[in-house]
Amino acid sequence: EVQLMQSGTEVKKPGESLKISCKGSGYSFSTYWIAWVRQMPGKGLELMGVIYPGDSDTRYTPSFQGQVTISADKSINTAYLQWSSLRASDTAIYYCARRAETYEYFVTWGQGTLVTVSS
Amino acid sequence: DIQMTQSPSTLSASVGDRVTITCRASQSITRWLAWYQQKPGKAPNLLIYKASSLESGVPSRFSGSGSGTEFTLTISSLQPDDFATYYCQQYNSNPLTFGGGTKVEIK
């Protein structure tokens, strides 16, 4: 069974750094693009960026470029989303999702990681 | 960027109703459109891709249609498990974008 398992809930203060993870299982992790999607409280879905774990080719949606870093370690089947300095506006649920093999829709999703940033 | 606009934003319906949700793209996306269902506290779930192809395991009461700039998701007979929020997503061009969502509520 294809699964994406995300790291747990985080509560952070503004200015702190954070790295959350998404571990894939049940498929060849290196050969499928992984996306990170933000959902702010009560709002819709926003694609942040995607990464191809096989060679770490990474593409960001322009509004998220420079705000976060997406990375992956194919040796442990894990993708990451990282912030160097959190803001209150980063409070959201973050989902990782596996793209379809050929086309850019998302077949399998992680359970989500809630990040709360508050002083 | 391609803007995706869903209507209505909220829909009240009863079990057994036929429900239609519309998604409009700001420019042609041919048929590169997916639909997802999201229940409260859960991740989205893929229902339909390429505008009308039903994802494996999704009940046949769900169907999609459309091309170009206008698309619809139809639930032929609403079931209790279908009360959720539905999102469309275009994958014609980057950045990939989602519609704002349609919440289907119990009437």
Side-chain angles (χ1 to χ4, degrees):
Chain A
E1 181 190 3
V2 174
Q3 285 191 320
L4 296 174
M5 186 61 63
Q6 297 186 230
S7 51
T9 296
E10 300 277 0
V11 180
K12 293 289 192 179
K13 291 181 166 38
E16 292 186 332
S17 63
L18 176 64
K19 191 173 189 177
I20 62 175
S21 66
C22 169
K23 184 175 178 64
S25 61
Y27 74 100
S28 177
F29 184 78
S30 295
T31 60
Y32 287 83
W33 290 83
I34 292 284
W36 284 97
V37 176
R38 182 176 78 175
Q39 187 166 40
M40 298 178 76
K43 301 298 184 183
L45 306 169
E46 303 172 272
L47 179 73
M48 302 174 73
V50 294
I51 187 165
Y52 188 75
D55 60 7
S56 290
D57 183 8
T58 306
R59 299 164 191 192
Y60 295 92
T61 296
S63 55
F64 290 95
Q65 179 88 45
Q67 308 305 307
V68 295
T69 301
I70 294 170
S71 61
D73 184 343
K74 64 183 179 181
S75 70
I76 55 171
N77 292 353
T78 302
Y80 301 97
L81 177 65
Q82 142 175 36
W83 295 260
S84 59
S85 180
L86 286 160
R87 298 180 278 197
S89 58
D90 293 316
T91 295
I93 298 173
Y94 294 88
Y95 293 102
C96 62
R98 193 194 86 167
R99 219 193 71 175
E101 187 168 13
T102 306
Y103 297 104
E104 295 179 276
Y105 57 88
F106 304 105
V107 181
T108 304
W109 294 69
Q111 81 276 23
T113 296
L114 172 62
V115 174
T116 301
V117 184
S118 175
S119 55
Chain B
D1 299 5
I2 297 177
Q3 308 302 317
M4 305 301 292
T5 304
Q6 288 183 235
S7 60
S9 54
T10 306
L11 184 162
S12 296
S14 302
V15 172
D17 284 353
R18 182 181 181 88
V19 166
T20 299
I21 298 168
T22 298
C23 178
R24 289 187 174 87
S26 59
Q27 63 190 73
S28 177
I29 58 170
T30 58
R31 291 177 59 81
W32 303 121
L33 185 94
W35 289 97
Y36 302 87
Q37 177 194 66
Q38 186 179 32
K39 296 179 181 178
K42 299 295 186 182
N45 181 51
L46 176 68
L47 299 175
I48 286 171
Y49 60 94
K50 204 175 180 184
S52 61
S53 296
L54 198 66
E55 173 66 359
S56 176
V58 174
S60 59
R61 62 181 180 272
F62 290 93
S63 63
S65 65
S67 64
T69 61
E70 189 153 336
F71 301 85
T72 59
L73 173 70
T74 299
I75 309 172
S76 60
S77 177
L78 197 66
Q79 299 302 300
D81 193 46
D82 302 337
F83 291 97
T85 300
Y86 295 85
Y87 293 94
C88 60
Q89 178 231 324
Q90 67 82 16
Y91 53 101
N92 180 77
S93 62
N94 286 300
L96 310 181
T97 46
F98 292 88
T102 295
K103 185 175 183 179
V104 177
E105 297 183 327
I106 301 173
K107 191 172 186 178

